Amino acid sequence: MTENSKYEQKFLIADPAQSVALLGPEDAHLALIEDGLHVQLHVFGDQMTISSDDEVAVHNTQAVLDNLTSLIKQGIQIGAPDVISAIKMVNRGTLDYFKDLYSETLIKDNRGRPIRVKKNLVSGSMCKPLLKVILRLVLVQPGLGRPILPL
């Protein structure tokens, strides 16, 4: 490619609901990805074009979008912190572990939705028991002395 050429890659968004979750409120997730990975993202219908002067940035963006889409398909709602985590992990070369952060369900809320804890890669095994104790203390109904949610 010439000096002024850009690298481009297409990313297909499978369904409209997935698109809304991936783009974020008012396309906030796109802005985070563009700033964090130094790419330009253009969405038209069910396709997103990733372009940059850096081929690695395009590849990394594709990997981030694939991982975020995978979480959305599992029913996990993503937010700005999730996008930022994915960007940091791809820049460090640890994106392969990104989905593992969401693999375990701590408890379910009163509507049956899972509450997941993003595990710290170092202390993930210590995190779950500690959080259960904290939740028992915090989620106790005043005067009844029992948890609001079954743990």
Side-chain angles (χ1 to χ4, degrees):
M1 295 195 121
T2 63
E3 234 177 84
N4 294 332
S5 294
K6 287 193 173 215
Y7 294 93
E8 284 191 0
Q9 191 168 350
K10 301 282 184 194
F11 181 80
L12 184 63
I13 302 170
D15 65 66
Q18 187 180 357
S19 175
V20 170
L22 188 61
L23 303 179
E26 298 179 13
D27 296 342
H29 297 166
L30 286 186
L32 288 171
I33 293 170
E34 286 179 332
D35 291 342
L37 296 173
H38 310 292
V39 295
Q40 292 80 43
L41 300 173
H42 303 283
V43 180
F44 187 75
D46 64 348
Q47 277 195 349
M48 183 183 307
T49 303
I50 307 164
S51 59
S52 177
D53 295 330
D54 182 10
E55 186 176 12
V56 173
V58 172
H59 175 72
N60 286 347
T61 303
Q62 176 79 32
V64 165
L65 292 171
D66 285 338
N67 276 271
L68 292 173
T69 301
S70 176
L71 291 181
I72 293 167
K73 286 179 182 176
Q74 294 175 26
I76 298 172
Q77 294 178 349
I78 62 169
D82 305 306
V83 176
I84 292 168
S85 293
I87 292 168
K88 286 181 180 179
M89 290 180 81
V90 79
N91 287 334
R92 291 182 189 144
T94 58
L95 190 65
D96 294 340
Y97 304 108
F98 180 69
K99 287 186 266 184
D100 293 340
L101 298 175
Y102 300 85
S103 62
E104 214 171 315
T105 299
L106 180 64
I107 60 172
K108 294 193 179 211
D109 68 6
N110 58 356
R111 295 182 192 160
R113 295 178 300 193
I115 297 175
R116 292 181 176 87
V117 177
K118 284 198 292 183
K119 294 187 295 184
N120 181 324
L121 295 178
V122 176
S123 63
S125 61
M126 298 183 302
C127 184
K128 186 175 180 178
L130 179 61
L131 281 173
K132 279 193 173 187
V133 170
I134 292 170
L135 285 172
R136 281 193 178 112
L137 294 173
V138 172
L139 298 176
V140 171
Q141 290 178 336
L144 296 178
R146 62 182 178 165
I148 294 172
L149 302 173
L151 297 175

